[in-house]
Amino acid sequence: MVALVRLRTPLALLGAAVLVLVGPPLLTAGSGSETGTQIPGLRFMVPNTPGGGYDITARTAAKNAEDAGLTHNIEVFNLPGAGGTVGLSRLVSEHGNGKLAMSMGLGVVGAVRSNDAPKTLGDTTPIARLTEEQDVVVVAKDSPYKTIDDLIGAWKENPGKLPVGGGSSPGGPDHLAPMLMAKAAGIPPKQVNYIPFDGGGELLASILGNKVAFGVSGVGEYLDQIKAGELRLLAVTGPERVEGLDAPTLKEAGYDVNFTNWRGIVAPPGLNDAERDKLVKLVEELHDSDEWQKSMRQNGWDDAFLTGEKFGAFLDAEDKRVVSVLKELGL
């Protein structure tokens, strides 16, 4: 058992981007100067395509920080590639840059391993783990699979003929979750036809177009599509049902899987104590803000806040865990 740890409409994403990138400074009493959280010129890198979990997390955090008056004019930009390791390499190359941070999570941990990346998360400055969320097992609204048992029954008959799509590289959450599902259902993980996409945004079109038999991604990424009836939710991967969604947990459906994903923030190496502490302070104040707490509820994210050295130790443990799980699955 492993406990590793919404794609919005294009219009909503565009609105979020406009608010983040060109919104005027919020000249309020809560200017951030009192708490020492102002970081002029702060840039927030997203290491995959728009619409995925890292993207939604980064844009939500940036907007919430501005709305709370903690800092202003945060630039959010995407640098996708190789499951997040292209962005990671760029981050590490920005040695000593205290005005750059990167949205990341378990997917980057896995991508470093699966791509044998030259740079690792151990080369970064850990800032904070923010959230934890369940993955969802979804199909298109016109899919023949009405229940999780329907899907797994067909999957067991011919695993290679039912491709599963995920928004992460091998070793990431959207890869590990279906592999654990397969093992629990008696399907050899090596027989699973897993197709990786660079984030949940890229994956969505293939699910809706029936290019994959089913998809696995974070609950917050596809919440709007599930509620709108564009996607059919078959199951969730965590220990409890998700409030407001009518779907069983995998364990409740008879498959011994308990799996969650997490997301956080890292910064370049070589920061001095003052630069690192200011980024941590900004995220601490963000975490405690009403704006962020509301966003977590709306996106179905669970609070998993952890900062600094404790987050660094967690990253090291997660790397070891990914290696262990891949070995256990024979992958």
Side-chain angles (χ1 to χ4, degrees), residues 93-156:
S93 74
E94 296 273 348
H95 189 278
N97 185 352
K99 296 186 177 185
L100 179 65
M102 187 178 84
S103 176
M104 48 72 70
L106 177 58
V108 177
V109 178
V112 167
R113 284 292 175 181
S114 62
N115 294 324
D116 195 22
K119 303 299 181 183
T120 75
L121 289 165
D123 297 316
T124 70
T125 299
I127 302 300
R129 184 183 68 189
L130 296 174
T131 62
E132 185 178 29
E133 72 171 341
Q134 301 198 43
D135 265 0
V136 291
V137 182
V138 293
V139 295
K141 63 181 179 181
D142 57 351
S143 167
Y145 310 117
K146 308 296 185 184
T147 68
I148 189 65
D149 284 335
D150 289 344
L151 172 64
I152 290 183
W155 200 19
K156 290 175 72 172

CSV table of all heavy atoms in Angstrom, one decimal, residues 93-156:
chain,number,residue,atom,x,y,z
A,93,SER,N,19.8,26.1,-12.7
A,93,SER,CA,20.8,27.0,-13.4
A,93,SER,C,20.7,28.4,-12.9
A,93,SER,O,21.7,29.2,-13.1
A,93,SER,CB,20.6,27.0,-14.9
A,93,SER,OG,19.5,27.7,-15.3
A,94,GLU,N,19.6,28.8,-12.3
A,94,GLU,CA,19.4,30.2,-11.8
A,94,GLU,C,20.0,30.3,-10.3
A,94,GLU,O,19.3,30.8,-9.4
A,94,GLU,CB,17.9,30.5,-11.8
A,94,GLU,CG,17.3,30.6,-13.2
A,94,GLU,CD,17.5,31.9,-13.8
A,94,GLU,OE1,17.9,32.9,-13.1
A,94,GLU,OE2,17.2,32.0,-15.0
A,95,HIS,N,21.2,29.8,-10.2
A,95,HIS,CA,21.8,29.8,-8.8
A,95,HIS,C,21.8,31.2,-8.2
A,95,HIS,O,22.2,32.2,-8.8
A,95,HIS,CB,23.3,29.4,-9.0
A,95,HIS,CG,24.0,29.1,-7.7
A,95,HIS,ND1,24.6,30.1,-7.0
A,95,HIS,CD2,24.2,27.9,-7.1
A,95,HIS,CE1,25.1,29.6,-5.9
A,95,HIS,NE2,24.9,28.2,-5.9
A,96,GLY,N,21.3,31.2,-6.9
A,96,GLY,CA,21.2,32.5,-6.2
A,96,GLY,C,20.1,33.4,-6.5
A,96,GLY,O,20.1,34.5,-6.0
A,97,ASN,N,19.2,33.0,-7.4
A,97,ASN,CA,18.1,33.9,-7.8
A,97,ASN,C,16.9,33.8,-6.8
A,97,ASN,O,16.2,32.8,-6.8
A,97,ASN,CB,17.6,33.5,-9.2
A,97,ASN,CG,16.5,34.5,-9.7
A,97,ASN,OD1,16.0,35.3,-9.0
A,97,ASN,ND2,16.2,34.3,-11.0
A,98,GLY,N,16.8,34.7,-5.9
A,98,GLY,CA,15.8,34.7,-4.9
A,98,GLY,C,14.4,35.2,-5.3
A,98,GLY,O,13.5,35.3,-4.5
A,99,LYS,N,14.3,35.5,-6.6
A,99,LYS,CA,13.0,36.0,-7.2
A,99,LYS,C,12.4,35.0,-8.2
A,99,LYS,O,11.7,35.3,-9.0
A,99,LYS,CB,13.3,37.3,-7.8
A,99,LYS,CG,13.7,38.4,-6.9
A,99,LYS,CD,13.7,39.8,-7.5
A,99,LYS,CE,14.1,40.8,-6.4
A,99,LYS,NZ,14.0,42.2,-7.0
A,100,LEU,N,12.8,33.7,-8.0
A,100,LEU,CA,12.3,32.7,-8.9
A,100,LEU,C,11.9,31.5,-8.0
A,100,LEU,O,12.6,31.1,-7.1
A,100,LEU,CB,13.3,32.2,-9.9
A,100,LEU,CG,12.9,31.1,-10.8
A,100,LEU,CD1,11.8,31.5,-11.8
A,100,LEU,CD2,14.1,30.6,-11.7
A,101,ALA,N,10.7,30.9,-8.3
A,101,ALA,CA,10.3,29.7,-7.6
A,101,ALA,C,9.6,28.8,-8.6
A,101,ALA,O,9.2,29.2,-9.7
A,101,ALA,CB,9.3,30.0,-6.5
A,102,MET,N,9.5,27.5,-8.3
A,102,MET,CA,8.9,26.6,-9.2
A,102,MET,C,7.8,25.7,-8.5
A,102,MET,O,8.0,25.2,-7.4
A,102,MET,CB,9.9,25.6,-9.8
A,102,MET,CG,9.4,24.7,-10.9
A,102,MET,SD,10.7,23.6,-11.6
A,102,MET,CE,10.7,22.3,-10.5
A,103,SER,N,6.6,25.6,-9.2
A,103,SER,CA,5.6,24.7,-8.7
A,103,SER,C,6.0,23.3,-9.1
A,103,SER,O,6.4,23.0,-10.2
A,103,SER,CB,4.3,25.1,-9.4
A,103,SER,OG,3.2,24.2,-9.1
A,104,MET,N,5.8,22.3,-8.2
A,104,MET,CA,6.2,21.0,-8.5
A,104,MET,C,5.5,20.0,-7.6
A,104,MET,O,4.6,20.4,-6.8
A,104,MET,CB,7.7,20.8,-8.3
A,104,MET,CG,8.3,21.4,-7.0
A,104,MET,SD,7.9,20.4,-5.5
A,104,MET,CE,8.9,18.9,-5.8
A,105,GLY,N,5.8,18.7,-7.7
A,105,GLY,CA,5.2,17.7,-6.9
A,105,GLY,C,5.7,16.3,-7.1
A,105,GLY,O,6.8,16.2,-7.7
A,106,LEU,N,5.0,15.3,-6.8
A,106,LEU,CA,5.5,14.0,-6.9
A,106,LEU,C,5.8,13.6,-8.3
A,106,LEU,O,6.8,12.8,-8.6
A,106,LEU,CB,4.4,13.0,-6.4
A,106,LEU,CG,4.6,11.5,-6.5
A,106,LEU,CD1,5.9,11.1,-5.7
A,106,LEU,CD2,3.4,10.7,-6.0
A,107,GLY,N,5.1,14.2,-9.3
A,107,GLY,CA,5.5,13.9,-10.7
A,107,GLY,C,6.9,14.3,-11.1
A,107,GLY,O,7.5,13.6,-11.9
A,108,VAL,N,7.4,15.4,-10.5
A,108,VAL,CA,8.8,15.7,-10.8
A,108,VAL,C,9.8,14.7,-10.2
A,108,VAL,O,10.8,14.4,-10.8
A,108,VAL,CB,9.1,17.2,-10.4
A,108,VAL,CG1,10.5,17.5,-10.6
A,108,VAL,CG2,8.2,18.2,-11.1
A,109,VAL,N,9.4,14.3,-9.0
A,109,VAL,CA,10.2,13.3,-8.3
A,109,VAL,C,10.4,12.1,-9.2
A,109,VAL,O,11.5,11.5,-9.4
A,109,VAL,CB,9.6,12.9,-6.9
A,109,VAL,CG1,10.5,11.8,-6.3
A,109,VAL,CG2,9.5,14.1,-6.0
A,110,GLY,N,9.2,11.6,-9.8
A,110,GLY,CA,9.3,10.4,-10.6
A,110,GLY,C,10.0,10.7,-11.9
A,110,GLY,O,10.7,9.8,-12.4
A,111,ALA,N,9.8,11.9,-12.5
A,111,ALA,CA,10.4,12.2,-13.8
A,111,ALA,C,11.9,12.2,-13.7
A,111,ALA,O,12.6,11.9,-14.6
A,111,ALA,CB,9.8,13.5,-14.3
A,112,VAL,N,12.4,12.7,-12.6
A,112,VAL,CA,13.9,12.7,-12.4
A,112,VAL,C,14.4,11.3,-12.5
A,112,VAL,O,15.5,11.1,-13.2
A,112,VAL,CB,14.2,13.4,-11.0
A,112,VAL,CG1,15.7,13.1,-10.7
A,112,VAL,CG2,14.0,14.9,-11.0
A,113,ARG,N,13.7,10.4,-11.9
A,113,ARG,CA,14.2,9.0,-12.0
A,113,ARG,C,14.0,8.4,-13.3
A,113,ARG,O,14.9,7.7,-13.9
A,113,ARG,CB,13.4,8.2,-10.9
A,113,ARG,CG,13.9,8.4,-9.5
A,113,ARG,CD,15.3,7.8,-9.3
A,113,ARG,NE,15.8,8.2,-8.0
A,113,ARG,CZ,17.0,7.8,-7.6
A,113,ARG,NH1,17.8,7.1,-8.4
A,113,ARG,NH2,17.5,8.1,-6.4
A,114,SER,N,12.8,8.5,-13.9
A,114,SER,CA,12.5,7.9,-15.2
A,114,SER,C,13.3,8.4,-16.3
A,114,SER,O,13.6,7.7,-17.3
A,114,SER,CB,11.0,7.9,-15.5
A,114,SER,OG,10.6,9.3,-15.7
A,115,ASN,N,13.7,9.7,-16.3
A,115,ASN,CA,14.5,10.4,-17.3
A,115,ASN,C,16.0,10.4,-17.0
A,115,ASN,O,16.7,10.9,-17.8
A,115,ASN,CB,14.0,11.8,-17.5
A,115,ASN,CG,12.6,11.9,-18.1
A,115,ASN,OD1,12.2,11.0,-18.9
A,115,ASN,ND2,11.8,12.8,-17.6
A,116,ASP,N,16.3,9.8,-15.9
A,116,ASP,CA,17.7,9.9,-15.4
A,116,ASP,C,18.3,11.3,-15.6
A,116,ASP,O,19.4,11.5,-16.2
A,116,ASP,CB,18.6,8.9,-16.3
A,116,ASP,CG,19.9,8.6,-15.7
A,116,ASP,OD1,20.1,8.8,-14.5
A,116,ASP,OD2,20.8,8.2,-16.4
A,117,ALA,N,17.5,12.3,-15.0
A,117,ALA,CA,17.8,13.7,-15.2
A,117,ALA,C,19.1,14.0,-14.5
A,117,ALA,O,19.4,13.5,-13.4
A,117,ALA,CB,16.7,14.5,-14.6
A,118,PRO,N,19.9,14.9,-15.1
A,118,PRO,CA,21.2,15.3,-14.5
A,118,PRO,C,21.1,16.2,-13.3
A,118,PRO,O,21.9,16.2,-12.4
A,118,PRO,CB,21.9,16.1,-15.6
A,118,PRO,CG,20.8,16.6,-16.5
A,118,PRO,CD,19.7,15.6,-16.4
A,119,LYS,N,19.9,16.9,-13.2
A,119,LYS,CA,19.6,17.7,-12.0
A,119,LYS,C,18.5,17.0,-11.2
A,119,LYS,O,17.6,16.5,-11.8
A,119,LYS,CB,19.3,19.1,-12.4
A,119,LYS,CG,20.3,19.8,-13.2
A,119,LYS,CD,21.7,19.9,-12.4
A,119,LYS,CE,22.7,20.7,-13.3
A,119,LYS,NZ,24.0,20.7,-12.6
A,120,THR,N,18.6,17.1,-9.9
A,120,THR,CA,17.5,16.5,-9.0
A,120,THR,C,17.0,17.6,-8.1
A,120,THR,O,17.5,18.7,-8.0
A,120,THR,CB,18.1,15.3,-8.2
A,120,THR,OG1,18.9,15.9,-7.1
A,120,THR,CG2,18.9,14.4,-9.1
A,121,LEU,N,15.9,17.2,-7.4
A,121,LEU,CA,15.3,18.1,-6.4
A,121,LEU,C,16.3,18.4,-5.2
A,121,LEU,O,16.2,19.4,-4.5
A,121,LEU,CB,14.0,17.6,-5.9
A,121,LEU,CG,12.9,17.6,-7.0
A,121,LEU,CD1,11.7,16.8,-6.6
A,121,LEU,CD2,12.5,19.1,-7.2
A,122,GLY,N,17.2,17.5,-5.1
A,122,GLY,CA,18.3,17.7,-4.0
A,122,GLY,C,19.2,18.9,-4.4
A,122,GLY,O,19.9,19.4,-3.5
A,123,ASP,N,19.1,19.3,-5.6
A,123,ASP,CA,19.9,20.5,-6.1
A,123,ASP,C,19.2,21.8,-5.8
A,123,ASP,O,19.7,22.9,-6.1
A,123,ASP,CB,20.3,20.4,-7.6
A,123,ASP,CG,21.2,19.2,-7.8
A,123,ASP,OD1,22.1,19.0,-7.1
A,123,ASP,OD2,20.9,18.5,-8.8
A,124,THR,N,17.9,21.8,-5.4
A,124,THR,CA,17.1,23.0,-5.2
A,124,THR,C,17.1,23.4,-3.7
A,124,THR,O,17.6,22.7,-2.9
A,124,THR,CB,15.7,22.7,-5.7
A,124,THR,OG1,15.0,21.8,-4.8
A,124,THR,CG2,15.7,22.1,-7.1
A,125,THR,N,16.4,24.5,-3.5
A,125,THR,CA,16.2,25.0,-2.2
A,125,THR,C,14.7,24.7,-1.9
A,125,THR,O,13.8,25.3,-2.5
A,125,THR,CB,16.4,26.5,-2.0
A,125,THR,OG1,17.8,26.8,-2.3
A,125,THR,CG2,16.1,27.0,-0.6
A,126,PRO,N,14.4,23.8,-0.9
A,126,PRO,CA,13.0,23.4,-0.6
A,126,PRO,C,12.3,24.6,0.1
A,126,PRO,O,12.9,25.2,1.0
A,126,PRO,CB,13.2,22.2,0.3
A,126,PRO,CG,14.6,21.8,0.3
A,126,PRO,CD,15.4,23.0,-0.1
A,127,ILE,N,11.1,25.0,-0.4
A,127,ILE,CA,10.4,26.0,0.2
A,127,ILE,C,9.2,25.5,1.0
A,127,ILE,O,9.1,25.7,2.2
A,127,ILE,CB,9.9,27.1,-0.8
A,127,ILE,CG1,11.1,27.7,-1.5
A,127,ILE,CG2,9.1,28.2,-0.1
A,127,ILE,CD1,12.1,28.4,-0.7
A,128,ALA,N,8.3,24.8,0.3
A,128,ALA,CA,7.1,24.3,1.1
A,128,ALA,C,6.4,23.2,0.3
A,128,ALA,O,6.3,23.3,-0.9
A,128,ALA,CB,6.1,25.4,1.4
A,129,ARG,N,5.8,22.3,1.0
A,129,ARG,CA,4.8,21.4,0.5
A,129,ARG,C,3.5,22.1,0.8
A,129,ARG,O,3.3,22.5,2.0
A,129,ARG,CB,4.9,20.0,1.1
A,129,ARG,CG,3.9,19.0,0.6
A,129,ARG,CD,4.0,17.7,1.3
A,129,ARG,NE,3.5,17.8,2.7
A,129,ARG,CZ,3.6,16.9,3.7
A,129,ARG,NH1,4.2,15.7,3.4
A,129,ARG,NH2,3.1,17.1,4.9
A,130,LEU,N,2.6,22.2,-0.2
A,130,LEU,CA,1.3,22.9,0.0
A,130,LEU,C,0.1,22.0,0.2
A,130,LEU,O,-0.6,22.2,1.2
A,130,LEU,CB,1.1,23.8,-1.2
A,130,LEU,CG,2.1,25.0,-1.4
A,130,LEU,CD1,1.7,25.7,-2.8
A,130,LEU,CD2,2.0,26.0,-0.3
A,131,THR,N,-0.1,21.1,-0.7
A,131,THR,CA,-1.4,20.4,-0.8
A,131,THR,C,-1.2,18.9,-1.0
A,131,THR,O,-0.2,18.5,-1.5
A,131,THR,CB,-2.3,21.0,-1.9
A,131,THR,OG1,-1.7,20.8,-3.1
A,131,THR,CG2,-2.6,22.4,-1.7
A,132,GLU,N,-2.2,18.2,-0.7
A,132,GLU,CA,-2.3,16.8,-1.1
A,132,GLU,C,-3.7,16.6,-1.7
A,132,GLU,O,-4.7,17.3,-1.3
A,132,GLU,CB,-2.2,16.0,0.2
A,132,GLU,CG,-2.2,14.5,0.0
A,132,GLU,CD,-2.0,13.7,1.3
A,132,GLU,OE1,-2.4,14.2,2.4
A,132,GLU,OE2,-1.4,12.6,1.3
A,133,GLU,N,-3.8,15.7,-2.7
A,133,GLU,CA,-5.1,15.4,-3.3
A,133,GLU,C,-5.1,14.0,-3.8
A,133,GLU,O,-4.1,13.4,-4.1
A,133,GLU,CB,-5.4,16.4,-4.4
A,133,GLU,CG,-4.6,16.3,-5.6
A,133,GLU,CD,-5.2,17.2,-6.8
A,133,GLU,OE1,-6.3,17.6,-6.7
A,133,GLU,OE2,-4.4,17.4,-7.7
A,134,GLN,N,-6.3,13.5,-4.0
A,134,GLN,CA,-6.5,12.2,-4.6
A,134,GLN,C,-6.4,12.3,-6.1
A,134,GLN,O,-6.7,13.3,-6.7
A,134,GLN,CB,-7.9,11.6,-4.2
A,134,GLN,CG,-8.1,11.5,-2.7
A,134,GLN,CD,-9.3,10.6,-2.4
A,134,GLN,OE1,-9.4,9.5,-3.0
A,134,GLN,NE2,-10.1,11.0,-1.4
A,135,ASP,N,-6.1,11.2,-6.7
A,135,ASP,CA,-6.3,11.0,-8.1
A,135,ASP,C,-7.7,10.5,-8.4
A,135,ASP,O,-8.3,9.9,-7.5
A,135,ASP,CB,-5.2,10.0,-8.7
A,135,ASP,CG,-4.0,10.7,-9.2
A,135,ASP,OD1,-3.9,12.0,-9.1
A,135,ASP,OD2,-3.1,10.0,-9.7
A,136,VAL,N,-8.1,10.8,-9.6
A,136,VAL,CA,-9.4,10.3,-10.1
A,136,VAL,C,-9.3,9.4,-11.3
A,136,VAL,O,-8.3,9.6,-12.1
A,136,VAL,CB,-10.4,11.4,-10.4
A,136,VAL,CG1,-10.8,12.2,-9.2
A,136,VAL,CG2,-9.8,12.4,-11.5
A,137,VAL,N,-10.1,8.4,-11.4
A,137,VAL,CA,-10.1,7.5,-12.6
A,137,VAL,C,-11.4,7.9,-13.4
A,137,VAL,O,-12.5,7.8,-12.9
A,137,VAL,CB,-10.3,6.0,-12.1
A,137,VAL,CG1,-10.2,5.1,-13.4
A,137,VAL,CG2,-9.1,5.6,-11.2
A,138,VAL,N,-11.1,8.4,-14.6
A,138,VAL,CA,-12.2,9.0,-15.4
A,138,VAL,C,-12.2,8.5,-16.8
A,138,VAL,O,-11.2,8.0,-17.3
A,138,VAL,CB,-12.1,10.6,-15.5
A,138,VAL,CG1,-12.3,11.2,-14.1
A,138,VAL,CG2,-10.7,11.0,-16.0
A,139,VAL,N,-13.4,8.5,-17.4
A,139,VAL,CA,-13.6,8.1,-18.8
A,139,VAL,C,-14.4,9.2,-19.5
A,139,VAL,O,-15.0,10.1,-18.8
A,139,VAL,CB,-14.2,6.8,-19.0
A,139,VAL,CG1,-13.4,5.7,-18.4
A,139,VAL,CG2,-15.6,6.8,-18.3
A,140,ALA,N,-14.5,9.2,-20.8
A,140,ALA,CA,-15.3,10.2,-21.5
A,140,ALA,C,-16.8,9.9,-21.2
A,140,ALA,O,-17.1,8.7,-20.9
A,140,ALA,CB,-15.1,10.1,-23.0
A,141,LYS,N,-17.7,10.9,-21.4
A,141,LYS,CA,-19.1,10.7,-21.1
A,141,LYS,C,-19.8,9.6,-21.9
A,141,LYS,O,-20.7,9.0,-21.5
A,141,LYS,CB,-19.8,12.0,-21.2
A,141,LYS,CG,-19.9,12.5,-22.6
A,141,LYS,CD,-20.6,13.9,-22.7
A,141,LYS,CE,-20.6,14.4,-24.1
A,141,LYS,NZ,-21.3,15.8,-24.1
A,142,ASP,N,-19.2,9.3,-23.1
A,142,ASP,CA,-19.8,8.3,-24.0
A,142,ASP,C,-19.1,7.0,-23.9
A,142,ASP,O,-19.3,6.1,-24.7
A,142,ASP,CB,-19.9,8.8,-25.4
A,142,ASP,CG,-18.5,9.2,-26.0
A,142,ASP,OD1,-17.5,9.3,-25.2
A,142,ASP,OD2,-18.4,9.4,-27.2
A,143,SER,N,-18.2,6.8,-22.9
A,143,SER,CA,-17.4,5.6,-22.8
A,143,SER,C,-18.4,4.4,-22.4
A,143,SER,O,-19.4,4.6,-21.8
A,143,SER,CB,-16.4,5.7,-21.6
A,143,SER,OG,-15.9,4.5,-21.2
A,144,PRO,N,-18.1,3.2,-22.9
A,144,PRO,CA,-18.9,2.0,-22.6
A,144,PRO,C,-18.7,1.6,-21.1
A,144,PRO,O,-19.5,0.8,-20.6
A,144,PRO,CB,-18.3,0.9,-23.5
A,144,PRO,CG,-16.9,1.4,-23.8
A,144,PRO,CD,-17.0,2.9,-23.8
A,145,TYR,N,-17.7,2.2,-20.4
A,145,TYR,CA,-17.5,1.7,-19.0
A,145,TYR,C,-18.3,2.6,-18.1
A,145,TYR,O,-18.0,3.8,-17.9
A,145,TYR,CB,-16.0,1.8,-18.7
A,145,TYR,CG,-15.2,1.0,-19.8
A,145,TYR,CD1,-14.2,1.7,-20.5
A,145,TYR,CD2,-15.4,-0.3,-20.0
A,145,TYR,CE1,-13.5,1.1,-21.5
A,145,TYR,CE2,-14.7,-1.0,-21.0
A,145,TYR,CZ,-13.8,-0.3,-21.8
A,145,TYR,OH,-13.1,-0.9,-22.8
A,146,LYS,N,-19.3,2.0,-17.4
A,146,LYS,CA,-20.2,2.8,-16.5
A,146,LYS,C,-19.7,2.8,-15.1
A,146,LYS,O,-20.0,3.7,-14.3
A,146,LYS,CB,-21.6,2.2,-16.6
A,146,LYS,CG,-22.2,2.0,-18.0
A,146,LYS,CD,-22.4,3.4,-18.7
A,146,LYS,CE,-23.1,3.2,-20.0
A,146,LYS,NZ,-23.2,4.4,-20.8
A,147,THR,N,-19.0,1.7,-14.7
A,147,THR,CA,-18.5,1.6,-13.3
A,147,THR,C,-17.0,1.2,-13.4
A,147,THR,O,-16.5,0.7,-14.4
A,147,THR,CB,-19.3,0.5,-12.6
A,147,THR,OG1,-19.0,-0.8,-13.2
A,147,THR,CG2,-20.8,0.8,-12.6
A,148,ILE,N,-16.4,1.3,-12.2
A,148,ILE,CA,-15.0,0.8,-12.1
A,148,ILE,C,-14.8,-0.7,-12.4
A,148,ILE,O,-13.8,-1.1,-13.0
A,148,ILE,CB,-14.4,1.2,-10.7
A,148,ILE,CG1,-12.8,1.0,-10.7
A,148,ILE,CG2,-15.1,0.5,-9.6
A,148,ILE,CD1,-12.1,1.9,-11.7
A,149,ASP,N,-15.8,-1.4,-12.0
A,149,ASP,CA,-15.8,-2.9,-12.3
A,149,ASP,C,-15.9,-3.2,-13.8
A,149,ASP,O,-15.2,-4.1,-14.3
A,149,ASP,CB,-16.9,-3.6,-11.5
A,149,ASP,CG,-16.6,-3.8,-10.0
A,149,ASP,OD1,-15.4,-3.7,-9.7
A,149,ASP,OD2,-17.6,-3.9,-9.2
A,150,ASP,N,-16.7,-2.4,-14.5
A,150,ASP,CA,-16.8,-2.5,-15.9
A,150,ASP,C,-15.4,-2.3,-16.6
A,150,ASP,O,-15.0,-3.1,-17.4
A,150,ASP,CB,-17.8,-1.5,-16.5
A,150,ASP,CG,-19.2,-1.8,-16.2
A,150,ASP,OD1,-19.5,-2.9,-15.8
A,150,ASP,OD2,-20.0,-0.9,-16.4
A,151,LEU,N,-14.8,-1.3,-16.1
A,151,LEU,CA,-13.5,-0.9,-16.7
A,151,LEU,C,-12.4,-2.0,-16.4
A,151,LEU,O,-11.7,-2.5,-17.3
A,151,LEU,CB,-13.0,0.4,-16.1
A,151,LEU,CG,-11.6,0.8,-16.5
A,151,LEU,CD1,-11.4,1.0,-18.0
A,151,LEU,CD2,-11.2,2.1,-15.7
A,152,ILE,N,-12.3,-2.4,-15.1
A,152,ILE,CA,-11.3,-3.3,-14.8
A,152,ILE,C,-11.5,-4.7,-15.4
A,152,ILE,O,-10.6,-5.4,-15.7
A,152,ILE,CB,-11.1,-3.3,-13.2
A,152,ILE,CG1,-10.5,-2.0,-12.8
A,152,ILE,CG2,-10.3,-4.5,-12.8
A,152,ILE,CD1,-10.2,-1.9,-11.4
A,153,GLY,N,-12.8,-5.0,-15.5
A,153,GLY,CA,-13.1,-6.3,-16.1
A,153,GLY,C,-12.6,-6.4,-17.6
A,153,GLY,O,-12.0,-7.4,-18.0
A,154,ALA,N,-12.8,-5.3,-18.3
A,154,ALA,CA,-12.3,-5.2,-19.7
A,154,ALA,C,-10.8,-5.1,-19.7
A,154,ALA,O,-10.2,-5.7,-20.6
A,154,ALA,CB,-13.0,-4.0,-20.4
A,155,TRP,N,-10.3,-4.4,-18.8
A,155,TRP,CA,-8.8,-4.2,-18.7
A,155,TRP,C,-8.1,-5.6,-18.5
A,155,TRP,O,-7.1,-5.9,-19.0
A,155,TRP,CB,-8.5,-3.3,-17.5
A,155,TRP,CG,-7.2,-2.6,-17.6
A,155,TRP,CD1,-6.3,-2.4,-18.6
A,155,TRP,CD2,-6.5,-1.9,-16.5
A,155,TRP,NE1,-5.2,-1.7,-18.3
A,155,TRP,CE2,-5.3,-1.4,-16.9
A,155,TRP,CE3,-6.9,-1.7,-15.1
A,155,TRP,CZ2,-4.4,-0.7,-16.1
A,155,TRP,CZ3,-6.0,-1.0,-14.3
A,155,TRP,CH2,-4.8,-0.5,-14.8
A,156,LYS,N,-8.7,-6.4,-17.6
A,156,LYS,CA,-8.1,-7.7,-17.3
A,156,LYS,C,-8.1,-8.6,-18.5
A,156,LYS,O,-7.2,-9.4,-18.7
A,156,LYS,CB,-8.8,-8.4,-16.1
A,156,LYS,CG,-8.6,-7.7,-14.8
A,156,LYS,CD,-9.4,-8.3,-13.7
A,156,LYS,CE,-8.9,-9.6,-13.2
A,156,LYS,NZ,-9.6,-10.1,-12.0
